[in-house]
Short mmCIF file of all heavy atoms in Angstrom, two decimals:
data_model
loop_
_atom_site.label_atom_id
_atom_site.label_comp_id
_atom_site.label_asym_id
_atom_site.label_seq_id
_atom_site.Cartn_x
_atom_site.Cartn_y
_atom_site.Cartn_z
N HIS B 232 110.10 121.89 90.91
CA HIS B 232 109.28 121.76 92.13
C HIS B 232 108.09 122.71 92.07
O HIS B 232 106.99 122.38 92.54
CB HIS B 232 110.12 122.03 93.38
CG HIS B 232 111.02 120.89 93.72
ND1 HIS B 232 112.02 120.98 94.65
CD2 HIS B 232 111.07 119.61 93.25
CE1 HIS B 232 112.65 119.81 94.74
NE2 HIS B 232 112.10 118.98 93.91
N GLN B 233 108.30 123.88 91.48
CA GLN B 233 107.21 124.83 91.36
C GLN B 233 106.11 124.27 90.46
O GLN B 233 104.93 124.38 90.75
CB GLN B 233 107.74 126.16 90.81
CG GLN B 233 106.76 127.31 90.84
CD GLN B 233 106.24 127.58 92.22
OE1 GLN B 233 106.95 127.44 93.22
NE2 GLN B 233 104.98 127.97 92.32
N ILE B 234 106.51 123.66 89.36
CA ILE B 234 105.53 123.03 88.44
C ILE B 234 104.74 121.98 89.21
O ILE B 234 103.51 121.89 89.10
CB ILE B 234 106.24 122.36 87.25
CG1 ILE B 234 106.95 123.35 86.37
CG2 ILE B 234 105.22 121.60 86.40
CD1 ILE B 234 107.75 122.69 85.25
N TYR B 235 105.47 121.17 89.98
CA TYR B 235 104.79 120.11 90.74
C TYR B 235 103.80 120.72 91.74
O TYR B 235 102.67 120.27 91.87
CB TYR B 235 105.81 119.24 91.46
CG TYR B 235 105.17 118.22 92.39
CD1 TYR B 235 104.30 117.27 91.90
CD2 TYR B 235 105.42 118.26 93.75
CE1 TYR B 235 103.68 116.37 92.75
CE2 TYR B 235 104.81 117.36 94.60
CZ TYR B 235 103.95 116.41 94.09
OH TYR B 235 103.34 115.52 94.93
N ARG B 236 104.25 121.76 92.42
CA ARG B 236 103.34 122.39 93.39
C ARG B 236 102.10 122.95 92.70
O ARG B 236 100.99 122.84 93.19
CB ARG B 236 104.06 123.51 94.13
CG ARG B 236 105.02 123.04 95.19
CD ARG B 236 105.71 124.20 95.90
NE ARG B 236 106.96 123.75 96.48
CZ ARG B 236 107.07 123.03 97.60
NH1 ARG B 236 106.00 122.71 98.29
NH2 ARG B 236 108.25 122.65 98.03
N GLU B 237 102.31 123.57 91.54
CA GLU B 237 101.18 124.19 90.85
C GLU B 237 100.24 123.15 90.25
O GLU B 237 99.04 123.31 90.28
CB GLU B 237 101.69 125.09 89.73
CG GLU B 237 102.28 126.41 90.21
CD GLU B 237 103.01 127.13 89.10
OE1 GLU B 237 102.99 126.67 87.94
OE2 GLU B 237 103.61 128.18 89.40
N ARG B 238 100.82 122.11 89.68
CA ARG B 238 99.99 121.20 88.89
C ARG B 238 99.43 120.04 89.70
O ARG B 238 98.35 119.56 89.44
CB ARG B 238 100.78 120.63 87.72
CG ARG B 238 101.16 121.67 86.66
CD ARG B 238 101.98 121.02 85.56
NE ARG B 238 102.51 121.99 84.62
CZ ARG B 238 103.42 121.73 83.68
NH1 ARG B 238 103.91 120.52 83.56
NH2 ARG B 238 103.83 122.67 82.86
N ASN B 239 100.18 119.55 90.67
CA ASN B 239 99.81 118.25 91.26
C ASN B 239 99.76 118.19 92.78
O ASN B 239 99.00 117.40 93.33
CB ASN B 239 100.78 117.16 90.80
CG ASN B 239 100.85 117.04 89.30
OD1 ASN B 239 101.80 117.49 88.67
ND2 ASN B 239 99.83 116.46 88.69
N LEU B 240 100.59 118.97 93.48
CA LEU B 240 100.75 118.74 94.92
C LEU B 240 99.46 118.94 95.69
O LEU B 240 99.14 118.17 96.60
CB LEU B 240 101.86 119.65 95.47
CG LEU B 240 102.16 119.48 96.97
CD1 LEU B 240 102.44 118.03 97.32
CD2 LEU B 240 103.36 120.35 97.36
N GLU B 241 98.70 120.00 95.33
CA GLU B 241 97.46 120.25 96.06
C GLU B 241 96.53 119.05 95.94
O GLU B 241 95.90 118.64 96.92
CB GLU B 241 96.79 121.51 95.50
CG GLU B 241 95.53 121.87 96.27
CD GLU B 241 94.93 123.19 95.82
OE1 GLU B 241 95.70 124.12 95.52
OE2 GLU B 241 93.70 123.28 95.77
N THR B 242 96.46 118.46 94.75
CA THR B 242 95.59 117.29 94.56
C THR B 242 96.04 116.15 95.45
O THR B 242 95.22 115.46 96.07
CB THR B 242 95.65 116.83 93.09
OG1 THR B 242 95.42 117.93 92.25
CG2 THR B 242 94.63 115.73 92.81
N HIS B 243 97.35 115.94 95.53
CA HIS B 243 97.86 114.83 96.35
C HIS B 243 97.59 115.06 97.83
O HIS B 243 97.22 114.15 98.57
CB HIS B 243 99.37 114.65 96.11
CG HIS B 243 99.69 114.28 94.70
ND1 HIS B 243 100.95 114.45 94.15
CD2 HIS B 243 98.93 113.75 93.72
CE1 HIS B 243 100.93 114.04 92.90
NE2 HIS B 243 99.72 113.63 92.61
N ILE B 244 97.77 116.30 98.27
CA ILE B 244 97.54 116.62 99.68
C ILE B 244 96.06 116.39 100.02
O ILE B 244 95.72 115.78 101.04
CB ILE B 244 97.93 118.07 99.99
CG1 ILE B 244 99.44 118.27 99.83
CG2 ILE B 244 97.47 118.49 101.38
CD1 ILE B 244 100.28 117.76 100.97
N LEU B 245 95.19 116.90 99.17
CA LEU B 245 93.75 116.80 99.47
C LEU B 245 93.23 115.38 99.35
O LEU B 245 92.13 115.09 99.82
CB LEU B 245 92.96 117.75 98.56
CG LEU B 245 93.13 119.23 98.89
CD1 LEU B 245 92.45 120.09 97.86
CD2 LEU B 245 92.58 119.54 100.29
N ALA B 246 94.00 114.50 98.71
CA ALA B 246 93.59 113.09 98.63
C ALA B 246 93.81 112.39 99.97
O ALA B 246 93.29 111.29 100.20
CB ALA B 246 94.38 112.37 97.54
#
Side-chain angles (χ1 to χ4, degrees):
Chain B
H232 284 168
Q233 189 57 35
I234 296 175
Y235 174 60
R236 284 180 204 283
E237 285 169 5
R238 293 178 187 170
N239 303 103
L240 181 53
E241 183 174 322
T242 309
H243 297 160
I244 294 282
L245 288 174

